[in-house]
Amino acid sequence: GIQVEQSPPDLILQEGANSTLRCNFSDSVNNLQWFHQNPWGQLINLFYIPSGTKQNGRLSATTVATERYSLLYISSSQTTDSGVYFCAARGGSNYKLTFGKGTLLTVNP
Amino acid sequence: SQTIHQWPATLVQPVGSPLSLECTVEGTSNPNLYWYRQAAGRGLQLLFYSVGIGQISSEVPQNLSASRPQDRQFILSSKKLLLSDSGFYLCAWSLVLAGEGSEQYFGPGTRLTVT
């Protein structure tokens, strides 16, 4: 099945800084999603982005399907951005959404 | 708008006891439903998915089973819990399995501790 790798595994920022999280996948995808898991465990949908670029406030994401990677940009980070960010992808006829191991983001005041 | 509920929120059960976790979706018809487990650490693993009432597909062989008795209800069960069943269980739904509309949305989860 498809492999999903995220980097970096951990990231510590000062409030106001920008960051880029990366997701590499091993095969062509028909579904790619970015999630934020808050401290209570809730997975919050950030982007559905199998290709192209999307923006939502301070967050934006780009997926380059031909090169098999996706990037999540966080600008002007806030302490509430802290948590684990997951990339998940599905490829081919497989209905399974495969998750990466996540990036643990800590934003300090 | 669509809403997904899970209960209980937390559960502590002894080894060998049965398990029943429930997930319900509101605001949509004939959703595709999924059960995931997040063990210690971060990765999420798909356990089961369902495309309709009574239709269950299992992704990994294990001590758990799933059922879908109603269109918007998905149940995760076990007859005898193992220590290794501890984890955070998440239910999700999507409109379709693939393509546009296949975005998955997750419930709040159930934290299970087997003692």
Side-chain angles (χ1 to χ4, degrees):
Chain A
I2 195 167
Q3 306 296 315
V4 179
E5 294 184 356
Q6 292 185 242
S7 60
D10 300 276
L11 185 59
I12 300 174
L13 301 173
Q14 287 299 121
E15 202 167 21
N18 303 328
S19 61
T20 301
L21 281 59
R22 187 178 179 100
C23 172
N24 292 331
F25 40 92
S26 61
D27 206 346
S28 57
V29 297
N30 51 45
N31 181 339
L32 189 134
Q33 294 183 239
W34 283 97
F35 298 91
H36 176 213
Q37 189 167 39
N38 67 21
W40 297 272
Q42 175 80 53
L43 274 173
I44 299 166
N45 288 50
L46 297 178
F47 295 102
Y48 169 78
I49 188 166
S51 63
T53 298
K54 292 184 177 179
Q55 181 160 7
N56 184 1
R58 296 183 294 104
L59 303 181
S60 63
T62 296
T63 297
V64 184
T66 53
E67 297 187 21
R68 300 183 182 171
Y69 72 87
S70 183
L71 301 174
L72 177 68
Y73 305 96
I74 305 174
S75 64
S76 303
S77 57
Q78 301 175 359
T79 56
T80 52
D81 295 332
S82 296
V84 182
Y85 289 80
F86 286 104
C87 168
R90 184 183 62 235
S93 59
N94 193 326
Y95 298 133
K96 180 169 66 175
L97 199 60
T98 298
F99 281 74
K101 293 186 177 180
T103 293
L104 175 59
L105 175 65
T106 303
V107 181
N108 292 319
Chain B
S1 64
Q2 298 86 1
T3 308
I4 182 168
H5 302 281
Q6 287 186 245
W7 63 87
T10 60
L11 191 60
V12 180
Q13 291 284 96
V15 168
S17 63
L19 173 74
S20 181
L21 304 181
E22 189 165 342
C23 169
T24 59
V25 180
E26 295 178 355
T28 187
S29 296
N30 196 30
N32 297 293
L33 297 173
Y34 311 83
W35 277 113
Y36 289 83
R37 176 169 60 197
Q38 186 176 30
R42 304 173 198 168
L44 278 83
Q45 181 185 39
L46 178 65
L47 303 176
F48 303 94
Y49 71 92
S50 170
V51 300
I53 295 174
Q55 300 179 64
I56 309 295
S57 295
S58 173
E59 282 295 311
V60 292
Q62 57 208 321
N63 185 42
L64 303 169
S65 62
S67 62
R68 186 169 175 175
Q70 300 181 40
D71 181 43
R72 290 170 288 178
Q73 184 184 32
F74 206 20
I75 296 173
L76 184 69
S77 304
S78 174
K79 292 182 179 178
K80 289 185 178 181
L81 283 169
L82 306 172
L83 285 174
S84 58
D85 292 324
S86 292
F88 190 49
Y89 289 83
L90 291 148
C91 181
W93 72 274
S94 67
L95 284 175
V96 298
L97 281 179
E100 197 65 35
S102 65
E103 185 174 4
Q104 293 186 21
Y105 298 88
F106 285 77
T110 295
R111 200 166 299 278
L112 172 66
T113 303
V114 182
T115 59

